[in-house]
Amino acid sequence: MGPAQSANVVVEAVAAKEFSGRTLPEDVRFCIEQMQMDAERRGDRQSVQDTHAFACRLAYGYTGTQMRLRHQEHQRGLRQEAMAMGCAHTLDAIQADWQKHHGLYMDPEWDKEYGPNDHFWQGGDPDGLDRGGEPYYCPVSWKRYGIRFPDFSKHMTGKAVAYHGSSHHNAVSLMEKGLRGTAGCYCDGEMVGYLSPSVIYASHHCYAEVWQHPQTKLFYQMVLQCRVKTSAIWKRVPETLCAMKTVDGNFKDNSQLEWLVKAAKKPEADGYVYVPKDHVALYGLMIRKSKQHPQTLPQNNWWLTDSDSDSD
């Protein structure tokens, strides 16, 4: 094992200790653990490995946001472990590489709970900021765990808010490499990334797995909050879940609830194509937890089909 590989082992080992219970918010840790368990049940070893690596890096990044209080202590311990393995001289390079390519540093400063008793607004313009002319409606009942994005205003001004469900392997790829291109509805043979301007639509259980906590019995869902370069939105198309009702009352109908963004033509080393990260960028992990199954929440009555309604 070379010095760079050794440094990776050290950093991920220290991160794994943090991930094991002290640093990540409980809600975030639970959802990521469920993603890993889902991948294990599918027998998808690559997704299991990817999710574990992401969790380690996310935990290390979240630790980084606590540096105001324990910066010296943490860095000293990390460097001592690296020195013991003879790879301290590569540690800074490894950390810099992660920050450059992943930017996965959770930032509690941008954590927000949304609802009438917390952070709330009516209409599609909460603060007059430039979001590419697209509305941003309050994601009521969700909590955002912020992802620190260097030079946020520089890179996000003029980009629209959109959401991506988290049950698919795209969740990890979006965090690590970018939104993976897939072939699906309305793609016309292109490889595309799918997003929605509606958190209500993106949180349908087909897109965002529903997990129940074994101890608290609360139901959890996680959705990824992104910014999208509006000029990169190739198509705005109707929902594809055959909803029998209006999905989201903030929108006049269901005709543009899915946004398609083209992936790059050239595959990466893993053989997949990805939407360029300057076209779609992750900046928040949205988590909703509730005492009742999400299907029974008033805003999700559109999940029910006609046959479900007839059986009531």
Side-chain angles (χ1 to χ4, degrees):
M1 182 181 295
Q5 291 175 305
S6 298
N8 259 323
V9 170
V10 171
V11 176
E12 292 206 3
V14 173
K17 293 177 185 177
E18 300 292 346
F19 177 65
S20 66
R22 292 194 305 276
T23 307
L24 279 181
E26 169 62 27
D27 293 347
V28 174
R29 187 170 67 254
F30 173 74
C31 288
I32 294 176
E33 286 172 349
Q34 298 310 301
M35 289 171 61
Q36 189 168 1
M37 290 170 62
D38 289 346
E40 289 172 348
R41 282 192 288 268
R42 296 195 307 269
D44 187 346
R45 297 183 62 185
Q46 185 59 53
S47 290
V48 172
Q49 294 172 3
D50 288 347
T51 306
H52 175 70
F54 166 71
C56 289
R57 290 169 179 169
L58 192 62
Y60 176 79
Y62 192 76
T63 301
T65 66
Q66 312 297 314
M67 292 300 180
R68 299 180 188 92
L69 299 177
R70 58 191 187 95
H71 174 82
Q72 292 181 347
E73 176 186 352
H74 179 85
Q75 288 293 347
R76 188 183 306 115
L78 184 60
R79 187 160 298 280
Q80 285 175 351
E81 293 196 45
M83 289 177 65
M85 295 187 66
C87 56
H89 59 288
T90 65
L91 184 60
D92 290 339
I94 294 295
Q95 293 171 328
D97 180 72
W98 283 2
Q99 183 173 3
K100 176 180 178 181
H101 292 99
H102 305 295
L104 296 174
Y105 288 78
M106 297 192 72
D107 191 348
E109 182 180 350
W110 296 103
D111 293 356
K112 291 182 179 180
E113 294 198 45
Y114 296 94
N117 298 322
D118 298 290
H119 197 70
F120 180 73
W121 66 91
Q122 293 182 329
D125 184 9
D127 48 25
L129 296 179
D130 181 3
R131 296 183 175 87
E134 300 294 336
Y136 175 31
Y137 297 106
C138 185
V140 175
S141 77
W142 292 83
K143 179 173 181 177
R144 182 179 71 200
Y145 290 91
I147 301 294
R148 185 173 64 82
F149 202 98
D151 299 321
F152 183 89
S153 296
K154 176 182 177 181
H155 294 288
M156 299 300 189
T157 297
K159 293 183 177 179
V161 175
Y163 303 92
H164 183 82
S166 63
S167 62
H168 196 263
H169 57 261
N170 255 339
V172 174
S173 74
L174 175 56
M175 299 173 194
E176 288 285 283
K177 303 171 184 176
L179 184 60
R180 184 185 296 182
T182 59
C185 296
Y186 299 106
C187 75
D188 296 338
E190 298 282 349
M191 300 296 282
V192 299
Y194 291 87
L195 301 110
S196 177
S198 167
V199 71
I200 293 177
Y201 181 71
S203 61
H204 188 279
H205 63 84
C206 286
Y207 303 133
E209 194 74 32
V210 178
W211 301 301
Q212 187 174 26
H213 197 288
Q215 279 79 47
T216 67
K217 304 303 180 183
L218 294 175
F219 292 93
Y220 283 72
Q221 284 184 289
M222 184 168 74
V223 168
L224 308 177
Q225 189 177 42
C226 307
R227 285 295 186 95
V228 184
K229 188 176 182 179
T230 53
S231 61
I233 301 173
W234 176 45
K235 288 185 178 181
R236 302 165 189 257
V237 300
E239 55 84 23
T240 55
L241 295 176
C242 301
M244 305 301 294
K245 304 175 182 178
T246 299
V247 169
D248 186 336
N250 290 313
F251 298 86
K252 64 179 182 179
D253 55 37
N254 299 337
S255 65
Q256 296 189 19
L257 289 185
E258 294 203 24
W259 292 353
L260 278 62
V261 182
K262 287 184 179 180
K265 297 291 186 182
K266 184 179 178 180
E268 297 293 331
D270 60 6
Y272 294 104
V273 292
Y274 296 89
V275 174
K277 294 187 80 170
D278 63 335
H279 289 179
V280 176
L282 169 70
Y283 79 107
L285 304 181
M286 304 290 288
I287 292 179
R288 176 174 63 193
K289 57 183 181 180
S290 58
K291 293 181 179 180
Q292 59 194 93
H293 192 285
Q295 181 170 303
T296 66
L297 297 174
Q299 64 267 39
N300 293 334
N301 61 7
W302 66 277
W303 289 19
L304 300 176
T305 64
D306 280 348
S307 59
D308 293 325
S309 300
D310 293 341
S311 65
D312 290 344

